[in-house]
Amino acid sequence: MFGSSSAARLKLDYADPTSRTVGTELVCSSITSGGNGADSVPATHPWMPWNPHLRFYNNQRGYVRTRIQPALMTANFRVLPYVTSPGAAAHTRATFVIEDRSPGLHRTTDTPTPTATPPGAPRTPTPPLDTVHQETDRP
């Protein structure tokens, strides 16, 4: 999952989706890896049925901003609509809360990225399947 972001529940036994959750995993992309990427709707992403422990998946470039407090941690997945040209504004794509002593995570926001096109780029959206090809076809 190069250049992608995800949030997942860590399970005691991945072969059993009902097994106990023992932790949380937050993965973020590099803001400059592999071009612009594309937004995806986690609920309809083709990989989600095979990964029921995933709570979020996105192929845009960005970072995770966290706020750690005594009772919880808040994780904001910040993304940019494009990175191949200057001027893109960061956007909070999804927010999760992880409570102290409570393994797992809870999504509090899920906000698709507003459409933004780099200056001088053609205004054609990336079809969702192109994102799958970007994630799996490697040179």
Side-chain angles (χ1 to χ4, degrees):
M1 293 195 298
F2 301 108
S4 62
S5 299
S6 62
R9 295 179 300 177
L10 299 177
K11 304 298 272 181
L12 195 57
D13 178 5
Y14 286 99
D16 176 7
T18 64
S19 75
R20 189 165 67 97
T21 298
V22 295
T24 299
E25 179 179 40
L26 304 173
V27 177
C28 67
S29 72
S30 165
I31 208 162
T32 59
S33 62
N36 292 328
D39 197 5
S40 60
V41 178
T44 61
H45 194 283
W47 291 357
M48 297 306 268
W50 299 312
N51 298 285
H53 58 284
L54 281 176
R55 292 290 166 250
F56 175 72
Y57 180 85
N58 190 275
N59 194 37
Q60 290 177 291
R61 307 303 167 249
Y63 55 95
V64 175
R65 178 178 62 190
T66 59
R67 180 173 184 217
I68 301 171
Q69 299 171 289
L72 59 88
M73 180 173 86
T74 303
N76 295 305
F77 282 84
R78 305 277 292 165
V79 299
L80 285 87
Y82 57 88
V83 295
T84 55
S85 300
H91 162 73
T92 299
R93 178 62 181 81
T95 300
F96 291 88
V97 170
I98 303 158
E99 298 175 68
D100 186 34
R101 302 185 194 285
S102 176
L105 67 164
H106 309 282
R107 183 183 357 234
T108 60
T109 62
D110 185 0
T111 310
T113 304
T115 303
T117 305
R123 294 190 178 270
T124 55
T126 303
L129 287 179
D130 281 357
T131 261
V132 175
H133 293 294
Q134 290 171 4
E135 296 161 356
T136 55
D137 294 340
R138 300 283 175 220

